Amino acid sequence: VPNLQGPRYISPAPNGGFVVSEECGDVKVFTSSRKLLCSLSSKYGHRFGNPAGVCVDVEGSIVVADEQRRTVHLFPEHGGPICLVSAGLRRPVGVACSSFGHLFVADAGENCVKVFKYRVRPS
């Protein structure tokens, strides 16, 4: 996949595609045939500081850690972005989601992993 602006983190996405964060820029979603599906900043009108870790939760929503803004946002397939974590992070660089609704955030500023529980939609 050429023409990325400083690719940083990558995660598989539903239907065989993948998500890539770009340093000081954007997060892009690709199809299984490696074609650009969308840019999160364009699709959602969201400004990233320095997107880092990315993952996709069990509902197909994309989760992005923003190292510069010290936040973690969820980008659902439909609807606007949702800020999952807006305080308590010094340098979030990695994220992972469990099938039980846990969000794991690697905080390089505090040399630890922080665990959050979240639920976007009721079970």
Side-chain angles (χ1 to χ4, degrees):
V1 177
N3 303 319
L4 292 171
Q5 304 299 312
R8 296 188 73 199
Y9 294 84
I10 188 166
S11 174
N15 303 319
F18 57 98
V19 179
V20 179
S21 64
E22 296 177 307
E23 189 171 13
C24 296
D26 204 353
V27 175
K28 293 186 175 162
V29 183
F30 292 87
T31 66
S32 59
S33 59
R34 298 180 303 275
K35 298 217 182 318
L36 179 64
L37 183 63
C38 72
S39 148
L40 293 188
S41 63
S42 296
K43 179 177 179 179
Y44 294 94
H46 183 82
R47 278 186 55 88
F48 291 100
N50 190 6
V54 293
C55 68
V56 179
D57 73 6
V58 294
E59 295 176 352
S61 297
I62 299 167
V63 178
V64 181
D66 193 320
E67 190 174 356
Q68 182 181 24
R69 296 182 189 264
R70 299 178 180 174
T71 60
V72 176
H73 277 81
L74 179 135
F75 296 86
E77 195 171 335
H78 304 289
I82 299 165
C83 186
L84 297 178
V85 184
S86 61
L89 299 175
R90 286 187 47 206
R91 197 171 139 228
V93 292
V95 290
C97 298
S98 78
S99 57
F100 301 105
H102 288 101
L103 171 67
F104 303 94
V105 181
D107 190 338
E110 294 188 25
N111 295 315
C112 66
V113 172
K114 296 179 179 177
V115 182
F116 301 90
K117 186 152 181 70
Y118 78 101
R119 169 78 40 209
V120 176
R121 288 183 228 148
S123 299

